[in-house]
Structures are given as structure tokens and as C-alpha cells.
Amino acid sequence: MSGTIDVDRLETAVKRTADAVKILRCYYNGSPEAEESGWVLLTEDPEWVRVTSADPTNVTAILENLPAEHSPLHVVVDQKGSLCTLVFSIDHTVTDAHGLWDIVGMISACYRNLGWDPDYSPVPLRESDDRSMRPLLASYSLETCAEICRAEAEKRIPVQQYKKLFVVPQDRRGMPKLFTHKIEPLMLKNMKAFAHLHHATLNDVLLTVYAAALQEYVQKTFNTSMSIVPIRGAADLRKYLPPYLRNEIKNYSVSYWSRVPIPGSGDLVSILHEVTALSERNRMTAPGIGELFAIEEPDSKAARPYLEPEYYSTPFISNAGVLPKDVVDFGNGVSVKDALSYPNITTGNPFVIVVVTWENTMSLSILTDGAYDTAAHLLKRMGELIGELDTFVNI
């Protein structure tokens, strides 16, 4: 951002937003497996805002050394001259990327309004006692959910032969580093035109260049040809709910498995046709319900293969979509110049890519504590492939 943030006013804005979103004033007691686990109200105000370096290594260290009783929301302010970086972090058990941006929007609106009304407070959000997505499963039979779960789990079987390629040994792990790449407006326009030309979506084109870049990486690094590219992405469960149930601060996102067949030619157009066909099939099969069932019914026989931990080191790409231009507005004197998302949990997997589009610019990011060269190469190659799309379209 350009401008100077009033840290005291920001602290007040975060506190009052937490008053409106009660879960932000709670800490999680126990573990997800324990029957008596749950969210407990904090007895004291936590340290909502820290003035420190926004470097991902520093932010990760802060998150890894929090006290047992801590809020799921953390804010870092890094003011350097007339430029300021704000980092908002949320526990993934509370909400997903969409929910975090909603909270950031509330905080920025509160900060802006406090500039002219010191007594301003956000309107409290509706929050139900049941924070799980279990009620969504009630619209399906258990048998149907188990069937969907088994079908989704079977999609991972072809990944077995490639798993070893995506595991980073412990001795190759180091400090977390953030890698980013920007798709500027003209290149984004080319992506949209390429998608329109082939009756695809922008996300289909994104998955196409991702699959092509990943295939090239494996071929050059391991001299291994991939007949399919395993893709694990985020399925947003909001679409299965009526509008009045989509606005609570919950985690509505679960991972969802796909696999992109790589045609013999391996060219972008051929891969895009496979991705588009895959997307159409996915839209007809309630994507994400299978993993939701596995999360909510972990003791089910159908859920067991779905929860095998070794699969979580395979490639993951999450596209948060387009952020509204005014989603973050701190008012006069502060101008938002850039917005991006990245996961704050490092797994040693250099293939976790988070994508968000704001102000007609698409930002790709990878946070990894593992193969830094791989992360940098993958983002660079995706950018190059997107840059070549102008040869397919006439803008």
C-alpha cells in the first residue's frame, strides 16, 4: 500500500471487527480428534497487530510460536517510508481465502469509518453454533456421499506412480520463501481471448498452462513422461448452499482431485480441450462433497483411502478468483497497490500455487520451505506459456 497506516486505529478496527465476528475472539481447545475439543472464548485481548517485518519467514516464525490460547486472526504491519505492507493471517479451520478477504474488507471499512466516527463498530455477523459443514451433507443420503467419496478417491490412483516426484526430503528444507509472478492486464486479456476462442473458462486456461509447465518440469528433471497431470484444487462448497447460508465465517473450501490427460502432441490447445472436458464432467459430479464426507465422517470405510496423508504432497493449485476492486479500502491517504494470497502452512511441497486476481492483474504465489529453484522455475514457466498465448489469438 502507499501511505501511512495509523497502527492504533488499525488495532481498534481489528478489535471491533472481532467483536462483530465472535469466532475471532476464540481459541481452539484440544485437537480435532478429541470429543471435548471446541472453540473457547479468550479471557484477555490478544496482540491483534504486530509492527514487524512482513517477510514470510518472519510471519511464519510468529505463527509457529503463538501461545496455546490465541486468536485465529493475526495482523502484521510493515511500514517502510511511504510504503506499507499488511499481512492478514487466519487459521484454516476458521475460514478460507474468501472468508479472510471478507474479514480484511470489514477491518478496512472499520478503519476508514473510525477516521470520522470514533464510536463506529461493524454490524455483528450471523454465526451458527455448528461450525462444521455437516448440515450440507444432510441434503444427500449417506450412501450417496459415500459413493461420491469413493469415486473421488479413485481419481488419485494414477497419482501413485508420480508421488515420489513431488516429495521434498527433510534435509532439503530450509527457511520459508515466497515466490510470486504477475500476469499483467494485457496477458490476462490474452488468456480471456484464448479461453473464449475455445469455449473454455479463464480457470481452464490457468489449469492448462499449469499442467503443461508441470509436465515439462517432470520431463526435464526426472526424464519421465506423464500421461496425466494430477491436480488437487479447492472446491468451494458455497455453491451448494442457499444464499442466506453462504455468508458465515466458515471454511467452505475442501480439496478436490482431478487428473488432466496429456495428449500425445502435448500442445496447449490439445491440453485445453482435455481440461475443458474435465471441467464439464466435474460440474456434473458435485465436486468436493466426497472430501467433505471424509472430513465429517472419518470413520467411514469409504473415507479411509481418501485421508491417506502421503497424497497431500502432490501438486495443489487454488484459484480464489477475482477480488472486487473495493474489497479493501482504508480511506483517504492510503492506496492499495497490490493484493495477493499465499498459504501460511508450509509442507515442503513446492507445488502449492495460490492464485488471485485484483485490479485486472492475476497474481500467482508459492510459499515453500523446500525446492526453491523448482518453485521459481514453475512460476516463471507458467508466465512464459501465458505470454505465448498471443500467438493463438488476434487481439
Side-chain angles (χ1 to χ4, degrees):
M1 299 191 302
S2 176
T4 301
I5 282 289
D6 182 330
V7 176
D8 290 337
R9 199 206 305 180
L10 179 63
E11 179 95 21
T12 301
V14 176
K15 285 182 181 179
R16 294 190 182 175
T17 300
D19 290 337
V21 186
K22 295 298 184 184
I23 189 64
L24 301 181
R25 285 194 169 275
C26 298
Y27 70 95
Y28 195 78
N29 182 35
S31 64
E33 294 79 17
E35 291 185 4
E36 297 182 358
S37 296
W39 291 94
V40 180
L41 193 66
L42 289 163
T43 56
E44 298 180 359
D45 261 338
E47 185 177 1
W48 295 109
V49 177
R50 297 173 188 249
V51 179
T52 183
S53 169
D55 182 85
T57 300
N58 184 54
V59 174
T60 301
I62 291 172
L63 297 176
E64 289 178 343
N65 291 281
L66 292 170
E69 298 181 10
H70 64 269
S71 167
L73 175 69
H74 309 280
V75 184
V76 165
V77 180
D78 189 351
Q79 185 80 50
K80 294 179 179 176
S82 62
L83 295 178
C84 182
T85 301
L86 296 182
V87 179
F88 296 86
S89 173
I90 195 77
D91 191 304
H92 74 281
T93 60
V94 171
T95 192
D96 49 28
H98 292 280
L100 176 57
W101 282 111
D102 287 342
I103 291 171
V104 173
M106 290 181 66
I107 292 172
S108 69
C110 186
Y111 177 94
R112 183 176 68 248
N113 290 326
L114 285 170
W116 57 268
D117 180 5
D119 296 323
Y120 175 83
S121 292
V123 176
L125 292 188
R126 175 185 182 275
E127 294 182 85
S128 60
D129 293 333
D130 186 356
R131 293 197 50 77
S132 77
M133 295 298 293
R134 187 182 297 272
L136 176 57
L137 295 178
S139 59
Y140 299 82
S141 70
L142 288 179
E143 292 77 12
T144 298
C145 290
E147 182 180 344
I148 294 173
C149 187
R150 280 190 291 267
E152 289 189 13
E154 287 175 2
K155 294 179 181 179
R156 302 177 314 173
I157 294 174
V159 179
Q160 295 267 14
Q161 58 185 314
Y162 302 125
K163 278 192 305 183
K164 62 181 181 297
L165 307 179
F166 306 123
V167 175
V168 178
Q170 189 65 40
D171 60 4
R172 288 177 54 194
R173 296 185 183 182
M175 303 300 290
K177 291 185 180 180
L178 178 65
F179 298 85
T180 63
H181 189 87
K182 300 284 185 191
I183 306 301
E184 302 295 343
L186 179 57
M187 293 175 68
L188 188 60
K189 184 178 180 181
N190 289 343
M191 289 181 70
K192 293 176 180 177
F194 185 59
H196 179 73
L197 185 64
H198 294 279
H199 308 287
T201 66
L202 187 61
N203 193 64
D204 290 339
V205 176
L206 179 66
L207 291 181
T208 294
V209 296
Y210 175 64
L214 198 58
Q215 179 205 28
E216 286 184 10
Y217 166 80
V218 169
Q219 179 65 53
K220 291 179 179 178
T221 307
F222 303 102
N223 195 29
T224 299
S225 297
M226 300 179 75
S227 59
I228 59 102
V229 171
I231 291 181
R232 196 162 58 92
D236 192 339
L237 301 175
R238 289 172 180 82
K239 60 189 174 186
Y240 302 118
L241 296 169
Y244 67 91
L245 290 178
R246 298 176 186 174
N247 298 320
E248 291 188 46
I249 299 299
K250 287 184 178 181
N251 192 333
Y252 294 90
S253 296
V254 295
S255 62
Y256 176 68
W257 283 83
S258 300
R259 56 178 188 265
V260 178
I262 299 297
S265 60
D267 64 284
L268 286 179
V269 173
S270 298
I271 296 175
L272 178 61
H273 290 166
E274 294 288 354
V275 170
T276 303
L278 179 69
S279 296
E280 291 175 353
R281 290 195 297 272
N282 287 346
R283 283 192 286 269
M284 300 172 63
T285 58
I289 293 297
E291 173 144 327
L292 175 62
F293 176 79
I295 293 170
E296 299 293 353
E297 302 288 342
D299 295 330
S300 166
K301 184 178 180 180
R304 291 171 195 163
Y306 206 97
L307 298 176
E308 292 175 9
E310 61 266 27
Y311 285 100
Y312 288 87
S313 63
T314 53
F316 189 102
I317 182 167
S318 176
N319 184 3
V322 180
L323 297 178
K325 182 178 179 180
D326 59 351
V327 67
V328 181
D329 181 2
F330 286 88
N332 294 334
V334 179
S335 175
V336 180
K337 297 297 185 183
D338 193 15
L340 61 86
S341 296
Y342 65 87
N344 61 22
I345 300 174
T346 57
T347 61
N349 181 0
F351 299 95
V352 180
I353 300 181
V354 181
V355 183
V356 67
T357 302
W358 183 78
E359 284 281 70
N360 214 25
T361 297
M362 179 182 284
S363 297
L364 287 69
S365 63
I366 298 177
L367 181 68
T368 180
D369 60 359
Y372 310 120
D373 291 343
T374 300
H377 168 79
L378 192 58
L379 289 187
K380 179 175 180 290
R381 185 58 183 140
M382 287 180 68
E384 291 172 346
L385 289 170
I386 292 172
E388 295 170 5
L389 295 180
D390 61 356
T391 62
F392 295 91
V393 298
N394 183 19
I395 302 297

